[in-house]
Amino acid sequence: MTEYRTEHLQPDTKGLARAAELLRSGALVALPTETVYGLGGDATDDTAVARIFEAKGRPSFNPLIIHLSDAAKAERYVEMDEDARRLADAFWPGALTLVLPLKPDAGIAPLVTAGLPTVAVRVPEHPLARDLLRLTGRPVAAPSANPSGRISPTTAQHVLDGLDGRIAAVLDGGPCPVGVESTIVTTQPEPTLLRPGGLPVEAIEACLGAPLAAHGGGINAPGQMTSHYAPEAAIRLEADSARPGESLLGFGHMDCDLNLSPAGDLVEAAANLFSAMRKLDEIGKPIAVAPIPDHGLGRAINDRLRRAAAPKD
Ligand code: TXA
Ligand code: MG
């Protein structure tokens, strides 16, 4: 894993310009939002998104929230229905995240959504977050800026306690005013609460004029998502070579149909994983997958592959 001298950027013109430059170059920058600090990376850049999972040390690929500078931009990435528009008008910018159908031509890296057909979107209210998003000019994927399994950071020092040396920079915006994560809601098939958070459920229900359904699936527990992307094709793991009729998904220098990373780089492999699975799935043959080392991002890749290989119901 790359070691960085993490830059501690001040909330001024110079700090913002540097943070935007780093994000645009594919580096990771922790940024203040009104809820908690986010670990930001360019959501259109597969490798930047893979680095987010690497920096957090996450053993699985949970889908991430994309952050936009203003509500009008959301239509470029997601299908907004009437309820979604009403909620966006009432609560954006703010501590509300909407999970909505991803537009196919949105240009969002497949790793952001963990291959799901939906994406989580939020327009933060924090002035520094908005300035940074505007300057960067890209959607920014950002989970909370803590190592996996630790609590969300609400100061730049918390971020450094967990991620110093693992990210390019932190933009210091002082303490986060809300201090808990955003409330996550989906409007489809009906308005449903996916995670309680900084925006009270009562406010959302008053806006919609109807109660929110509760979600049974426990999306906060990694791997508990009910609707993970799974390929149609049968998958065989730890394959040394393809059997007749199989496609081979390779890793490291080898003969195969598609290679996650000829150089054997786990960040590159993670960045390519979901699009590679989709491509091989379209061919329609069973997929054999070469062994992937089970350390660093390899753990998350293997977790994903095991899920994809598990019998489907
Ligand atoms: O306040 C917040 O929401 C902070 C700041 C940085 O914006 N972010 C945050 O991200 O808490 P994270 O990654 O720690 O939590 C995002 C949650 C995860 O539980 C994930 O499973 C869920 O959002 N999520 C993301 N995309 C989803 C999708 N397409 N469907 C269902 N759940 C989704
Ligand atoms: Mg989190």
Side-chain angles (χ1 to χ4, degrees):
M1 142 140 227
T2 320
E3 277 283 324
Y4 296 89
R5 268 191 49 239
T6 303
E7 296 175 37
H8 191 151
L9 301 174
Q10 295 310 301
D12 52 23
T13 314
K14 201 173 139 213
L16 276 165
R18 176 68 179 148
E21 177 191 335
L22 285 167
L23 282 171
R24 293 176 62 88
S25 75
L28 303 186
V29 176
L31 65 145
T33 81
E34 69 277 20
T35 58
V36 300
Y37 276 73
L39 175 52
D42 179 351
T44 66
D45 177 340
D46 292 290
T47 305
V49 178
R51 288 197 185 111
I52 293 176
F53 290 97
E54 185 191 39
K56 282 185 70 95
R58 243 183 193 174
S60 61
F61 295 121
N62 251 18
L64 304 176
I65 299 172
I66 62 168
H67 296 69
L68 305 175
S69 59
D70 62 272
K73 291 218 168 71
E75 307 265 358
R76 272 194 11 214
Y77 303 101
V78 291
E79 309 282 358
M80 303 277 286
D81 57 30
E82 200 183 312
D83 285 334
R85 282 207 186 89
R86 186 174 299 167
L87 291 173
D89 285 347
F91 301 115
W92 279 351
L96 172 72
T97 295
L98 292 172
V99 170
L100 296 168
L102 177 67
K103 286 193 171 163
D105 54 354
I108 298 296
L111 204 52
V112 167
T113 64
L116 294 172
T118 53
V119 67
V121 196
R122 165 160 127 76
V123 178
E125 186 173 29
H126 198 294
L128 281 171
R130 303 193 73 192
D131 286 347
L132 179 56
L133 290 165
R134 242 191 315 269
L135 276 175
T136 305
R138 314 248 168 97
V140 169
S144 50
N146 50 283
S148 180
R150 305 256 292 273
I151 57 167
S152 298
T154 52
T155 67
Q157 189 55 50
H158 294 168
V159 174
L160 290 170
D161 290 346
L163 296 175
D164 196 11
R166 295 213 210 177
I167 60 177
V170 55
L171 178 62
D172 194 337
C176 301
V178 175
V180 294
E181 294 91 341
S182 61
T183 303
I184 308 183
V185 166
T186 186
T187 56
Q188 296 180 10
E190 55 174 339
T192 304
L193 178 68
L194 298 178
R195 178 180 77 182
L199 177 67
V201 169
E202 291 81 353
I204 298 170
E205 293 181 332
C207 171
L208 292 174
L212 287 174
H215 181 78
I219 60 152
N220 287 320
Q224 297 278 299
M225 302 255 320
T226 44
S227 49
H228 265 299
Y229 165 69
E232 298 281 322
I235 300 208
R236 185 168 68 85
L237 302 180
E238 308 277 335
D240 295 324
S241 58
R243 293 175 184 158
E246 284 180 339
S247 306
L248 181 61
L249 180 59
F251 177 84
H253 181 71
M254 63 188 292
D255 257 348
C256 54
D257 297 280
L258 251 185
N259 201 316
L260 288 174
S261 169
D265 177 329
L266 289 166
V267 174
E268 185 186 21
N272 290 329
L273 179 66
F274 287 102
S275 53
M277 291 206 319
R278 253 173 224 283
K279 273 187 204 138
L280 291 182
D281 205 19
E282 276 162 20
I283 295 174
K285 298 200 272 188
I287 303 167
V289 186
I292 314 286
D294 204 36
H295 59 81
L297 273 185
R299 282 165 64 212
I301 296 172
N302 282 322
D303 168 82
R304 200 71 203 69
L305 286 169
R306 272 194 298 273
R307 269 175 227 286
K312 299 161 187 83
D313 41 44

